[in-house]
Each structure stands twice: as structure tokens, then as C-alpha cells.
Amino acid sequence: MVPDTASGCDFVVVANRLPVDRDTSSPDPQWRTSPGGLVTALQPVMQAQAGAWIGWAGTPDEDIDPFDIDGMHLVPLRLSADEIELYYEGFSNATLWPLFHDVIVPPEFHRAWWDAYIRVNRRFAEAAADVAARGATVWVHDYQLMLVPEMLRALRPDVSIGFFNHIPFPPWEIFAQLPWRTRILRGLLGADLIGFQRPTDASNFRRCVRMNFGWTTKANAIRVPEDPEVGTAEHVAEAKAFPISIDTSALDALSHDPAIVARAAQIRAELGDPEVLILGVDRLDYTKGIRHRLKAYGELLADGLIDREKVTLVQIATPSRERIDQYQHIRTEVELAVGRINGEFSDLGYQPLHYFHQSYPRDEMTALYLAADIMLVTSLRDGMNLVAKEYVACRPSGTGVLVLSEFTGAADQLTQAVMVNPHDISGLKAGIVRAVTMDEKEQRRRMRAMRRKLQGDDVQTWSRRFLQDLHALDSDKGISSWEKTA
């Protein structure tokens, strides 16, 4: 039975985190909107439709009343320290994350983690059911909340449910390892529209459905039978790709800001005015290929294939999930590699590698993008990688070279980048040398094409396409997608 939701919200976002950070620099802490791309994409929709955003505020064991900020109604959910350890650090980031990233490190399967994942997902689903108005649109985000769509459908069959998976979706041969694969698939299939970064991710998902259940799929459509045990009726779900992007116009505007342009020049001066400045910007994560990048760079210096008097690499590694063993291990390995390279190739007037384990505000990041001649993105597996797109958006001069892993979602769109396989160290070295020696005419030709792509395909376009397709499915419920493809 649908509850009385006449006073609820017509548009509800459900995500693990709220789109705000708490500024504790003053005696009276204040909330400020996070600068992330998802906030940029959804804030206008929420403002236009008096939307609500459900998520965790970032501090364990804290009850926070709903509040409004920048035209958004935020509904904080309380998570205990145990739930953060089991649901977030455990099942989300030590089970699903490695499994969905091609098992670069082995995933761990613990029943206590799974039980916590179910409990927390149910809490999110119940909160969405309470907040959503009759017939509302609910958009659920990412791998931490894969059970929410089905749970929400059982509670509120009247709402339209979308889900977007921001990370890759693995092929059946990898996904089949998950002991709870059936429950995860059923959870996602509770949505009317399931979005993925790449067509291959959507194809992997549909194949997993066929292999696990033996169901037939037609084009993007999946007929989902009723589940009396859960309480959901038969419906048709669609699974397709919606590659996410960035706020291109905002970054382009920042790259023209005189203060930021001056800061970019200052950065190069502080680094000794290298002839070629190479930049890497990543979360400190084993999926980002930082170790492979450093190995290639160290060998290039040793081989004399790049002039160590002219080339400098700046590597920014943003802290990430530092309580998880694998992340402590990758930090140790990266910092040892940095020490080896600088110890072997530095002299009193030159340091080949500058490493920073910290976060930077958007203005500083824009200045770094402006300062860098080459951007290295060497992910071993990445749903999209927005750093690659941000670098392109911040190159108004039309110069600069993007060296891009073919295992990123961005590689499908930024096809004028220098493509590399980061597992192939010799090929990666050749890609870096090609970038270092590329003439300005070729740089401009490649960068111009990539910038045109981003200008016509920004994050606002992404959210608009997803919601338009979701609303079209809602309008066509009398004529299902299954029937239209028959």
C-alpha cells in the first residue's frame, strides 16, 4: 500500500554521501556544498523540483536533522562506526570495489559485511520511501546502494526509479564469484532504468542477468518477473550507457581567470621552469596505475630517453580509504618508488619527481592543469576518469597532451589522446616519449577535437539524458520497452 505522500518531494536523489562538507574552521561549523560533478549536474534539477537528497553526512554515530542549503533539501542518515566499517569499508570497498575493477586485488567475502550492507541499504530505501511524493522520480547512485532499487520498489511501486553505476560492471566470469550475486542483480533490477558508464558495462550487466537467471533480454530491455517474496510486480527494466562528464563551461571559465593563470605560471617557476611539466592526479587507489606510471618514468630517466634536466613529473595522490589494508599497502609502495627515483636521479639543482599526498581546492587544481604540458592517466580500470576530461577542459590554449589508459571510460570519448596500455611498460614509456616530443601543431589538432567533444557533452547533458529516458519509460509503461523492441 502506498503511504500518504502528498507533501513529499517530486525528485529524490539517494547516494552514500550528502553533497556537502562541514567547514570546521570557525567556532560555529557551517555546511558548504561539495564541488563534485554530481552536485553540479543535479542541483539545478533539485532546485526546480524542490528535490531532496538522502545520504550520510560523513561523521559516524551522529543524528542530524534535515536541512536546506543552496536550494536543496538534505536528509542525513545516521551510520554507526560499525556500519561504516562493515558496510562501507568492508562490503562496498573490500568486496564490490575490487570485484568490479577486474580483481586487481582479491575481493574479500564476509557474511557479516553482507548483512551490514543489507541493513544499510534498507535504511536508505525506507528513507526514500518516506520522502518521495506520490509518483516521484527517485535516482539512486552507485555501488554502495545496489539493493535500494528493489527494496524501494517493494515499498513504493508508484515511484519511478533510476540507478546509475559510477564504476565499471564486470563480466560474468568475474561477477559470478560473488556469493550474493543473485541478490545484487535483483536489487539493481528493481530500477526502471539502470545506467552505466560504457556500453560494455551495460552489456556485461545484461549478460550477467541472462547467465544467472536464464532470462531473455531484448536490446537494452529486461523483463523482470514478479517476486512474491519481496513483494514486487513484473516490470521491464532497461540497462544502457550514459557516460558521465564534467562542468565544462565552469572549468573553462576558471582557466581564463587571471589569478589562476598567474598561479599556473608561479607553479612552473617554483618547479624550476622545466621545459616539459608532466602531471598525474589520482586518488591513492590501486586501480589508478600509479605504480606502473612511476616505473615507466623511472626507466625513461635511467635509459636517457627523456632529458632529466628538462622534464619534471608532479604526482598528486589524494588520500583515500586509509583504514583499508590494501590502501595502506599502495601508499607504502608508491612512496618507496618516489624515494627511489628521487634518490637516484636528483642533484642539487634538480628533482625529477614531486609527490604530494594531499587534496587541493578546485582553483589550485585548475592552475596545475594549466601549468602541465602533459597529463598522465594510467588507470588499470576506471569507470570514466573525470581527471582526463578536466585537463582537456582547462586547456584553452589548445596545447597540451593527454596520455590516457585505454581501460578508462574516457577513452571511448577522448579518442585523440595518446592511448596506452599501462600493463605494457614499454608501450607506456613509448606513449610518454611521444607526448614529450609531440609538436605543437599536432597537440592543437588533438586537443581541439577533444575540447569540442566536451563542449557538446557536459555533465548537465548527462543528467538531462538520463532523466529524459527515465521519464520516457515512465510515460510508456502502457507500452513497455520490451513490446517496442519485439
Side-chain angles (χ1 to χ4, degrees):
M1 180 176 177
V2 179
D4 182 7
T5 54
S7 61
C9 297
D10 291 325
F11 180 64
V12 180
V13 174
V14 186
N16 178 63
R17 286 294 300 269
L18 289 174
V20 289
D21 299 312
R22 194 178 338 211
D23 183 357
T24 58
S25 60
S26 64
D28 181 22
Q30 301 290 323
W31 295 102
R32 63 167 186 257
T33 305
S34 304
L38 190 58
V39 184
T40 302
L42 299 182
Q43 188 172 3
V45 184
M46 298 187 71
Q47 291 170 340
Q49 300 190 30
W53 189 307
I54 298 169
W56 176 49
T59 305
D61 298 303
E62 186 176 22
D63 291 305
I64 303 172
D65 292 332
F67 62 96
D68 296 334
I69 182 172
D70 294 338
M72 299 184 292
H73 181 63
L74 305 189
V75 183
L77 287 194
R78 183 181 189 273
L79 293 181
S80 69
D82 283 345
E83 286 170 336
I84 294 164
E85 180 182 352
L86 300 174
Y87 143 79
Y88 181 71
E89 295 174 354
F91 194 80
S92 295
N93 290 314
T95 300
L96 292 178
W97 180 269
L99 187 77
F100 281 41
H101 285 84
D102 290 354
V103 196
I104 294 169
V105 303
E108 299 180 42
F109 305 118
H110 299 295
R111 285 171 289 181
W113 291 1
W114 168 246
D115 292 341
Y117 188 81
I118 294 173
R119 289 196 306 273
V120 173
N121 272 244
R122 183 173 292 115
R123 195 176 310 150
F124 275 89
E126 290 170 348
D130 289 342
V131 169
R134 191 179 301 273
T137 297
V138 181
W139 195 356
V140 186
H141 287 270
D142 225 1
Y143 64 104
Q144 302 95 344
L145 302 174
M146 288 183 162
L147 302 180
V148 168
E150 184 187 43
M151 292 174 171
L152 179 58
R153 178 172 289 274
L155 293 167
R156 293 291 305 278
D158 62 298
V159 302
S160 182
I161 305 170
F163 182 92
F164 189 78
N165 195 60
H166 291 260
I167 68 173
F169 197 91
W172 168 252
E173 290 73 16
I174 291 177
F175 184 75
Q177 298 176 41
L178 184 64
W180 308 281
R181 66 195 191 201
T182 298
R183 290 288 302 277
I184 291 291
L185 291 175
R186 290 298 308 230
L188 291 171
L189 289 167
D192 297 291
L193 179 61
I194 309 157
F196 298 91
Q197 298 280 24
R198 308 179 81 171
T200 52
D201 296 323
S203 177
N204 284 344
F205 175 76
R206 294 191 298 267
R207 181 167 178 258
C208 284
V209 170
R210 293 193 297 270
M211 295 296 292
N212 192 78
F213 297 110
W215 300 347
T216 301
T217 62
K218 292 183 179 180
N220 300 320
I222 305 164
R223 186 185 291 277
V224 184
E226 68 173 336
D227 189 336
E229 184 176 336
V230 176
T232 54
E234 179 180 307
H235 71 285
V236 174
E238 285 208 0
K240 57 194 294 188
F242 296 87
I244 198 169
S245 195
I246 58 172
D247 190 354
T248 307
S249 59
L251 285 170
D252 183 66
L254 284 174
S255 69
H256 286 88
D257 185 315
I260 293 177
V261 173
R263 174 59 185 151
Q266 183 183 16
I267 288 170
R268 291 189 71 101
E270 290 172 352
L271 293 169
D273 283 319
E275 188 172 307
V276 179
L277 177 57
I278 305 175
L279 178 64
V281 178
D282 311 87
R283 280 191 312 103
L284 189 54
D285 190 291
Y286 51 78
T287 66
K288 300 301 183 181
I290 301 174
R291 289 170 296 185
H292 299 65
R293 179 184 314 165
L294 296 180
K295 181 175 178 59
Y297 184 64
E299 288 189 9
L300 286 170
L301 291 171
D303 297 343
L305 293 176
I306 57 175
D307 188 339
R308 64 182 188 177
E309 298 297 327
K310 298 179 179 179
V311 179
T312 295
L313 170 62
V314 172
Q315 175 62 56
I316 295 170
T318 305
S320 175
R321 301 167 190 163
E322 295 185 287
R323 299 204 309 178
I324 299 175
D325 288 345
Q326 291 290 350
Y327 289 81
Q328 296 171 1
H329 181 65
I330 183 68
R331 179 177 179 179
T332 299
E333 287 195 341
V334 166
E335 292 179 353
L336 285 172
V338 170
R340 281 195 297 270
I341 291 171
N342 280 333
E344 185 171 351
F345 299 107
S346 294
D347 58 37
L348 290 176
Y350 171 73
Q351 184 174 322
L353 174 56
H354 297 262
Y355 172 76
F356 303 95
H357 182 240
Q358 54 190 280
S359 301
Y360 289 93
R362 188 166 66 162
D363 286 5
E364 185 72 0
M365 286 307 310
T366 303
L368 284 160
Y369 291 143
L370 277 172
D373 302 293
I374 298 169
M375 185 80 216
L376 288 185
V377 177
T378 57
S379 306
L380 307 180
R381 191 77 165 92
D382 222 332
M384 179 52 62
N385 194 285
L386 296 181
V387 163
K389 294 187 174 185
E390 289 172 356
Y391 177 71
V392 171
C394 292
R395 302 299 301 179
S397 68
T399 59
V401 184
L402 173 63
V403 178
L404 181 61
S405 166
E406 62 191 40
F407 302 117
T408 64
D412 289 352
Q413 298 169 297
L414 303 180
T415 55
Q416 295 299 316
V418 175
M419 296 295 176
V420 294
N421 173 0
H423 297 283
D424 174 10
I425 299 300
S426 296
L428 178 54
K429 290 165 61 179
I432 296 172
V433 170
R434 184 180 181 188
V436 169
T437 58
M438 186 178 294
D439 65 72
E440 189 173 299
K441 182 178 179 181
E442 184 177 358
Q443 290 183 32
R444 291 183 184 279
R445 178 180 61 80
R446 290 169 175 266
M447 189 61 69
R448 186 165 54 246
M450 292 189 289
R451 283 176 62 82
R452 276 200 305 266
K453 175 66 176 174
L454 290 185
Q455 287 162 0
D457 192 12
D458 60 13
V459 71
Q460 290 86 1
T461 304
W462 167 78
S463 62
R464 184 169 59 251
R465 285 174 179 166
F466 186 95
L467 292 172
Q468 284 175 345
D469 278 20
L470 180 57
H471 294 155
L473 290 174
D474 193 46
S475 300
D476 290 340
K477 280 182 178 176
I479 305 173
S480 72
S481 302
W482 186 275
E483 292 169 312
K484 286 192 289 186
T485 58

